[in-house]
Amino acid sequence: LEGEGEKVDLVRNRHQGRYHNNGTNHRATLDLMPKHLREIAIGGLPVTITAEEFRKHPKMKTGNPLIDTYGENDAFLSGERGRGVTFVDKEKEAAMTLQREFNINVMASDVIPLNRMVPDSRLDGCEKLTYDHDLPTATVVLPFYNEWPSLLLRTVYSLVNRTPRHLLWEILLIDDCSTMAELGKPLDQYLQDFFPRDLVRVLRMPKREGLIRARMEGWKKSNGDVVVFFDSHMEVNIDWLQPLLTEIKKDRRTVPMSVLDYINQDTLEYRFNRGYLNRYGFDWRLVFFETFFRDDQIGPTPQSPRPGAMMVGAAFAIDRKYFGELGGYDTGMKVWGGENLEMAWRVWLCGGRLVHLPCSHLGHVARAQPYIFPEGRRNIEMFNYKRAILVWMEDQHKEFVYNYSPEMKGLDVGDVSDRLALKEKLQCRNFTWYMDNVWPELSVYNQDVQAWGSLVNKASEKCADNHGYLFQAPADLYTDSCHFLYNTQGFSLAKSGLLRTTLQCVVVKEVIIGGRPKLEDCITGPRDQWNHTKEGSLVHLSSKMCLDEDPNGPVMRSCDRNRTSQHWKFTHYVTR
Ligand code: UD2
Ligand code: MN
């Protein structure tokens, strides 16, 4: 549209969160656009204003080119192109009050155009890829519970504006029995006024069921070839859908995930690290975290799909029928949490493949839950996790989970026999296969080892400790009072000589007396080997130095078998 001499004032298309306002802000993309341009916009062409127009705007006073201010007189252009908005003057306090309630700066959301453009965050090279015109169609299933209206609508606008129309079969919004009045009739009315009726539909749950069952209801009512699960506060990036559909077209058992970018909760700035892609993992607490891809997982080109061990939960696509064949979600799970790990395990173990797609990006507002979990968040997570591990893990693995979360052991989570029957019917592999092939980064402490458990120093009587370190870049090894919980104090001496902790191996990076041993990834790292002597020394094989214990923690020293601070004992030894 730029330079065509027919500029459409789309940026005025703001929504004030609550539906009652002066009327003009209700105007939506389609309404404001000349008829002959509507097709183009719906077809995925971004409609926006130029960065130049921003630079000229007198209200750019934050000094940060990525953040706009919004005060009494700023009523225009804030937050376009994925920029953030921060309030000044009188508005500041009002914004903060609302943010405390919703954990998102919802006032910022209200002043940002609903149809704003976001920066292309994809990996370099993605813009050169082309996709078949003929791809499976998609239904977007998007549950929401008391979502702030402008956040929900921006998600919908981004989908409509940046998804090729012939591929987007429908968007199903599943209202999980929200109590906010604005999400009832006024939402229906708004959607009816501004979107094609069969394109965006609302289904309403008769009572609050949580996102897992809400998604299942959406899936049952969906008509596209593929379903894509969404959260209610996202903004899609350029060409986000085609890569997902392309992989499913190649093999319907592939479950592709998009890359999640961050929409900042304080300013709604759309953030990303160009070129850096997250892979997800988990430890025995079952909490997922972000990590990196190994070199052997990248290729043949950087844009190619990469295997994924874990999923975040939203932002993935799956063949609609295949989802049913795989058993959908475990509807015995409650409200929120755990469905993502269960799904990731099931996909891999039952013949599918979970992949990350570097060229499909979605923004998501990460924030603490603003809503109440009826039985408390931790209880619900424990409940759902336990259902998942009862079905998929072998006993040895469950023990590691219970070691960290003992309250889970006695928890009654109801009957899982239908899920076990499903596992039988689909002839799924066992969990050891998953650990060996998909997530070898996580230590199965007692598998293929000489000794394992906690590693106690004889002099200090402290235990080696990884301080809960998750990300797999080099970190320090510590010692701490023994609590013997494996997650931070679980170690093993593998048959291969690796000295492993939950996600890393103990390595010596600089061979100097007094140097600190480090923790580094066991697969891509140096893979140092250790020898455990009769006296209890841990000898680092290549440097011939020994692991010693100082008041400040573990250090490397010349071996001296008479020094008790060089004597270490595992809590379990495996007889050879
Ligand atoms: C993350 C995942 C989410 C899901 C969840 C664990 C992403 C981006 N998000 O959610 O997909 O896997 O972890 O279960 O990967 N909701 C309801 N009913 C409820 C509670 C929530 O419909 O009772 C909706 C909510 O409005 C939102 C979605 O479920 O659209 C996810 O909830 P969230 O955004 O509060 O949680 P988040 O992002 O941690
Ligand atoms: Mn979310």
Side-chain angles (χ1 to χ4, degrees), residues 137-143 159 211-212 215-216 219 225-231 234 236 240-241 243-245 247-248 252-260 280 308 310-324 326-330 338-348 353-357 360-364:
T137 57
T139 295
V140 173
V141 171
L142 186 161
L159 279 163
L211 81 101
I212 298 162
R215 281 186 187 172
M216 281 302 279
W219 167 74
D225 302 320
V226 163
V227 283
V228 193
F229 292 106
F230 260 61
D231 278 5
M234 300 178 69
V236 304
W240 70 280
L241 181 62
L244 303 171
L245 299 179
E247 290 310 310
I248 293 175
R252 67 189 286 270
R253 291 173 311 173
T254 297
V255 179
M257 300 183 275
S258 302
V259 179
L260 275 194
Y280 303 114
M310 188 37 60
M311 64 199 325
V312 280
F316 75 98
I318 187 165
D319 180 279
R320 177 169 54 83
K321 292 199 185 111
Y322 181 57
F323 183 71
L326 261 185
Y329 279 121
D330 173 6
E339 92 293 344
N340 55 329
L341 36 134
E342 198 273 341
M343 190 74 199
W345 297 340
R346 182 149 43 97
V347 166
W348 278 115
R353 206 167 61 101
L354 184 66
V355 295
H356 296 269
L357 294 190
S360 172
H361 280 241
L362 302 175
H364 169 251

Side-chain angles (χ1 to χ4, degrees), residues 143-145 147 174 176 208-212 214-215 230-234 260 312-315 335-340 364-365 367 369-371:
F144 65 92
Y145 176 69
E147 186 57 87
I174 326 289
D176 192 15
R208 184 175 168 205
E209 295 280 4
L211 81 101
I212 298 162
R215 281 186 187 172
F230 260 61
D231 278 5
S232 46
H233 33 257
M234 300 178 69
L260 275 194
V312 280
V335 193
W336 179 100
E339 92 293 344
N340 55 329
H364 169 251
V365 190
R367 53 100 160 84
Q369 274 73 26
Y371 45 79

Side-chain angles (χ1 to χ4, degrees), residues 4 6 35 45 76 129 140 156 164 217 256 313 320 325 373-374 396 417 419 524 539:
E4 286 206 348
E6 188 172 10
K35 232 189 174 124
L45 189 84
F76 193 57
L129 299 185
V140 173
V156 176
E217 286 309 305
R320 177 169 54 83
E325 289 159 27
F373 288 81
Q396 51 167 342
S417 53
R419 303 308 288 178
T524 59
V539 188

